[in-house]
Amino acid sequence: MTWNVWWQFGERWRERQIGIAATLAAHRPDIVGLQESWAGRESSQAEVLAAPLGLYSVFGGPSLPDPVEEPGHDGVDLGLAILSRWPIRHAWTHRMPSSRATAPVALVAAVEHPGGVLHVVCVCAEHHAHLAADHLAQTRELARLLDDLGGLGAALPVLLLGDLNAGPDTPELAALTGHDGIVDAWTQSGADGDGVTLSAALPIAPLGATKQLNRRIDYVLLRPSAGGPPPEVRHAAVVGEAVEGLHPSDHFAVVADLEL
């Protein structure tokens, strides 16, 4: 699963977290990548969500967008999280190309999957139209990162879980899906429909994000291991139904069932 969970934005973020936890409990994903995740002085969203499900977790940052300075948010970081059914051997951050004063990162985890080391990358790409050059540079850098991780001799593919802030037909996505070997789980699954993950129909939709709105901008991408076949994608779906009348995030999640 990949899901942009909208940090602590909005007055009802605590209620939204209940919905995020309920969605995870309903789907029981083995691997989760969270964008716009939070971490405070005492705990992180990753830890809070992982513990009841018996998952391992790691948090890293900084990431996008810049958090809003609001009362009660002092000392709360905005970043990325990876949750895993299996132990996380180690994790690190990979600096992304950016002209921002503080460059965002991708979070990388080496997961101890029963079939071997499973590298998972979680990222949130640039979203501002005036930083389009950064956006394209970042997806190109992600393709290079997946190549590097795929060449480490692991038997399993590399997973990229991310809010890439770009539709499937954009140059930013082509830098990844047009790269040798990298596949889009949604397309590979033969899923019906456009798989929109940022919908104007939601009451909390970011209506100013005209470049991304009503498009699929959240992805599960896979890069096969060196010399290995592409993994089978059995099913892919968009999830994120309202929980007790409240949508857990302004994004829908993407879930893909993979045969590794």
Side-chain angles (χ1 to χ4, degrees):
M1 175 186 283
T2 187
W3 201 0
N4 181 318
V5 287
W6 205 37
W7 193 61
Q8 294 185 359
F9 294 114
E11 296 180 355
R12 302 178 68 183
W13 72 267
R14 290 179 178 84
E15 295 171 70
R16 290 195 299 101
Q17 175 139 313
I18 295 171
I20 294 168
T23 303
L24 291 176
H27 290 274
R28 292 277 173 173
D30 295 320
I31 298 286
V32 185
L34 300 178
Q35 302 84 40
E36 294 191 31
S37 187
W38 59 261
R41 294 186 178 94
E42 302 297 328
S43 65
S44 69
Q45 184 181 36
E47 294 169 335
V48 170
L49 294 173
L53 300 175
L55 301 177
Y56 300 88
S57 67
V58 63
F59 174 90
S63 186
L64 300 172
D66 297 325
V68 177
E69 295 294 334
E70 296 180 3
H73 288 163
D74 182 47
V76 181
D77 294 330
L78 186 154
L80 307 158
I82 295 173
L83 282 58
S84 171
R85 172 184 172 187
W86 304 284
I88 297 173
R89 179 181 296 179
H90 59 279
W92 65 97
T93 56
H94 181 89
R95 188 178 184 274
M96 301 297 289
S98 178
S99 55
R100 289 174 177 264
T102 302
V105 302
L107 177 62
V108 187
V111 172
E112 294 183 351
H113 186 277
V117 176
L118 175 66
H119 287 106
V120 181
V121 180
C122 182
V123 71
C124 185
E126 184 55 65
H127 60 101
H128 279 307
H130 72 279
L131 295 176
D134 287 355
H135 196 176
L136 183 56
Q138 288 174 8
T139 54
R140 287 173 172 167
E141 179 62 22
L142 289 169
R144 286 190 287 269
L145 175 60
L146 266 59
D147 276 349
D148 290 344
L149 294 171
L152 294 179
L156 298 179
V158 182
L159 303 185
L160 173 62
L161 308 174
D163 173 2
L164 298 180
N165 276 307
D169 58 351
T170 59
E172 292 83 6
L173 248 292
L176 282 158
T177 56
H179 194 76
D180 185 36
I182 299 175
V183 298
D184 177 0
W186 182 271
T187 303
Q188 193 82 353
S189 73
D192 294 330
D194 295 330
V196 169
T197 57
L198 194 68
S199 172
L202 293 188
I204 55 176
L207 299 181
T210 54
K211 180 182 176 182
Q212 295 88 9
L213 205 58
N214 293 324
R215 308 207 73 191
R216 179 163 62 95
I217 63 171
D218 301 89
Y219 297 85
V220 176
L221 301 181
L222 308 99
R223 189 225 186 259
S225 59
E232 178 186 350
V233 184
R234 294 180 172 177
H235 177 72
V238 170
V239 300
E241 297 82 4
V243 177
E244 296 186 2
L246 181 66
H247 284 279
S249 175
D250 60 343
H251 286 236
F252 296 126
V254 176
V255 177
D257 294 327
L258 314 175
E259 176 58 56
L260 302 184

